Amino acid sequence: MTKSEYNTVQDEQAEEAGEWKRKLSLILSYSSKLSASSGLSNILRLIADETKEILNAGRCSVYLLDREKHKLYSWVSHGLDKRQIRFSATRGLAGATVSTGETINIKDAYNDPRFNPEFDMRTGYRTRSVLCMPLVNQFGETLGVFQVLNKKNGVFSTQDEEVLGLLSQQASAAVENSMLYDELKKSFTSFINTLAQAIDARDPMTSGHSTRVSSYSQLIAEQMDYSSEEMEVLNYAALLHDLGKIGVKEAILTKPGQLEPEEQEHIQTHAAITRKILEQIYFQHEFRDIPKIASAHHENLDGTGYPEGLKGEEIPEIARIIAVADVFDAITYKRHYREPMPFEKVIGIIVSDSGKKFDPVCVDAFLNLNIYELLKIMTDETDVSISEEAEEIFEGVTIKQFISLMGNNSSPVLQEFVKYYPAGCT
Amino acid sequence: MTKSEYNTVQDEQAEEAGEWKRKLSLILSYSSKLSASSGLSNILRLIADETKEILNAGRCSVYLLDREKHKLYSWVSHGLDKRQIRFSATRGLAGATVSTGETINIKDAYNDPRFNPEFDMRTGYRTRSVLCMPLVNQFGETLGVFQVLNKKNGVFSTQDEEVLGLLSQQASAAVENSMLYDELKKSFTSFINTLAQAIDARDPMTSGHSTRVSSYSQLIAEQMDYSSEEMEVLNYAALLHDLGKIGVKEAILTKPGQLEPEEQEHIQTHAAITRKILEQIYFQHEFRDIPKIASAHHENLDGTGYPEGLKGEEIPEIARIIAVADVFDAITYKRHYREPMPFEKVIGIIVSDSGKKFDPVCVDAFLNLNIYELLKIMTDETDVSISEEAEEIFEGVTIKQFISLMGNNSSPVLQEFVKYYPAGCT
């Protein structure tokens, strides 16, 4: 063996070691980024980006399989922007991978009868080489398909297949973990929602109240630039604010006409009961203040509220938002002791209590709400549905602007509004 | 360079490539096992086992940090069996790692003043080399500590530190994911529990009913060798079986004395309402039958029950278990229309309805329950607490055996029993 021959062998060995090191570090970095991500969309986006990078490819898509409908849907697909596509789980190369459970590695898509050129036609892309591999969980169930397109400078090697196999193994666990968490969260949220509805329904007149209060509160909080985490706390607290009504006597809850002072007092116990019940629940860290927040929706800024008589900043800000939403919903709906109020009076009450009962910041955010958004919630679960023209007529009109139109009976905005709010404007 | 020199260099290169390949495959296999595991205990056990293996060490412990109490607790600790140990997060090498956030790599523990030899003394182990590294999440928060002991044939190298760093990175994400999931689950379960209690409490006489029914049902299901997954479904279904009472009129729910037929009918609507409410909830795959199960607790084996009049196998098995537990709880407690029954009569009712209302398999499992276990649930949340001698007196006595003792007034078992069950035996 000559010196140059030795060198060649040595170089190859070094190159192999180097290549393994490079892959190790890439895959490990991928794997730890993956574990650190949360939210299915983020995870799938990361998987697609990193796979494209590690495999030196032009594009990567991850399709998830909806087993019940036997459809594949794209969560992340390079070159498809944010549009989600769905197609039968028997179509194209991805479909073939699902059907056979086998990896497909081809040089030229257009020479393969299974290839579906529709996406290329739609997006103007030119698919050449394709590597398609099923995403399988630890029980051997197919979760979806990896589709990697257009290897740069060549075609996908068997080594690429091996690497994609490793990536796929890591990905499937992350995808499955994330789906499990999302499912549990969805279940938890829907449980709280359903419960709130069941409690509201004890009095047919308050049916849907807590759901609407949550929706109004979310609109207000959006104006106040709440993060998605704060929004989640607000949603739960708003849905649960009347949970304590479970402990209020039905006869008083549904009594027609004005309540006696002692009946009024009994009804007011619901806020304290809300707290007592919620305090028995184990809430995770970020939700730990929910009992305090949910039970403070009848506290007034000036300290005249209940159950604690808290003042100003002592009242959690989310409770100050819910307080406005709660009153708005109560006075725009019929109650046992009164009819819904004309809209001008509704807003008048909220504005005149700003700084007394209500936090002026929350009232101001409320006044900036869009009338159309508001009406959508107000008419939800009623027989009325908002026409398409209404959306145009109300476009960009806030409560503030709407109020300034009052008195102008020829305003199309006012004329349209009374179609959906029978109590009228003035 | 001589041929042998070339060979040496070449061998070293090959060895390095081989070593990286070996590590890559070990770490990747670790990483995918990790992602595929669920349950914090399983995950931590896997981390400890694999770390010990990959690092060629004698033992590995993973301690988690309780930030509020500033304590470290062992979930998995080789050589400590199943005992969990807790100690101040300032003690020993693990404590020093938490305090400084730095890795400790020492040759001989007994030469280091920070080392706490207590565990060695307790377990008879001899610690020599130690590698201690913090377990840090992606926000830089310390979750716990890795402690690897006694490198085989030597001491821990800086390469070992690097590898442990990689393992730790993978582990922290798995630990954090698992903790998040467990927390959400805990929160969900406690929510359902609290809600069930709030609904039972609408009628003070049924206070605690659903929780007890769930506990009895679990005891019966244990006899029937239920898996932990089935047990979870059973727990939720039992806790929620009377959810529909939220829609039953309070006046009827709490009416003293016998109910009129139409009142009886109104009360019976609760089973259908339970189903209606639960069907609005999004349940994950394994919990999908809960609405059907929870609402079938008044179905009878012979088809004479409600709301559907299901027969035999048409009634989900878990509902057949809950049916026995539900009746047992109802007749061992005071109701508005009657006193609790003597125990012989209680069992007589259940046995005589076996094969008619109740599934004989569930009744048989029920009769095999331990009297002591039963009394613990029956006296839960009462002023009575079971004495320590009672546990001995009742040891191994099942309901079946207990019944055969009836009539023998001198039996210490019967004499002890009436202390906790005022309605007596006969």
Side-chain angles (χ1 to χ4, degrees), chain A residues 29-205:
Chain A
S29 124
Y30 159 81
S31 171
S32 58
K33 277 189 222 162
L34 202 55
S35 322
S37 302
S38 62
L40 196 54
S41 305
N42 293 338
I43 286 175
L44 291 170
R45 157 82 39 207
L46 181 79
I47 291 171
D49 292 350
E50 296 270 319
T51 301
K52 179 179 152 241
E53 195 70 25
I54 295 174
L55 288 186
N56 242 319
R59 282 186 178 181
C60 176
S61 304
V62 186
Y63 301 108
L64 292 190
L65 178 63
D66 181 331
R67 266 174 252 172
E68 279 169 28
K69 298 188 181 135
H70 206 64
K71 290 210 161 187
L72 283 167
Y73 50 107
S74 73
W75 274 73
V76 182
S77 212
H78 289 139
L80 271 178
D81 303 326
K82 282 178 176 179
R83 278 173 297 162
Q84 208 191 49
I85 55 169
R86 280 176 177 272
F87 53 96
S88 161
T90 55
R91 289 196 70 187
L93 292 164
T97 304
V98 169
S99 308
T100 62
E102 273 162 29
T103 298
I104 295 173
N105 183 354
I106 51 176
K107 280 182 197 172
D108 183 7
Y110 285 85
N111 272 338
D112 194 302
R114 296 167 298 184
F115 177 66
N116 173 14
E118 215 176 274
F119 301 123
D120 272 12
M121 288 193 281
R122 245 198 272 168
T123 60
Y125 191 68
R126 179 63 164 86
T127 302
R128 290 184 309 275
S129 56
V130 182
L131 181 55
C132 239
M133 186 179 278
L135 191 62
V136 177
N137 72 6
Q138 77 254 44
F139 308 113
E141 297 163 332
T142 302
L143 299 177
V145 183
F146 262 105
Q147 185 167 280
V148 198
L149 306 182
N150 293 1
K151 173 84 179 181
K152 281 177 191 156
N153 315 318
V155 294
F156 295 103
S157 63
T158 48
Q159 206 193 38
D160 287 330
E161 288 184 35
E162 272 179 65
V163 172
L164 185 59
L166 291 171
L167 297 176
S168 160
Q169 208 176 8
Q170 311 285 314
S172 81
V175 167
E176 188 131 290
N177 277 342
S178 171
M179 284 170 124
L180 274 177
Y181 187 83
D182 289 353
E183 288 269 287
L184 182 57
K185 192 80 177 221
K186 193 172 160 190
S187 185
F188 189 39
T189 306
S190 95
F191 193 89
I192 290 180
N193 227 317
T194 306
L195 171 69
Q197 284 171 27
I199 291 169
D200 286 337
R202 284 184 67 207
D203 178 1
M205 280 205 189

Side-chain angles (χ1 to χ4, degrees), chain B residues 173-189:
Chain B
V175 167
E176 189 130 289
N177 277 343
S178 170
M179 282 169 124
L180 274 177
Y181 187 82
D182 289 353
E183 289 268 287
L184 183 56
K185 192 80 177 219
K186 191 172 161 189
S187 184
F188 190 35
T189 307

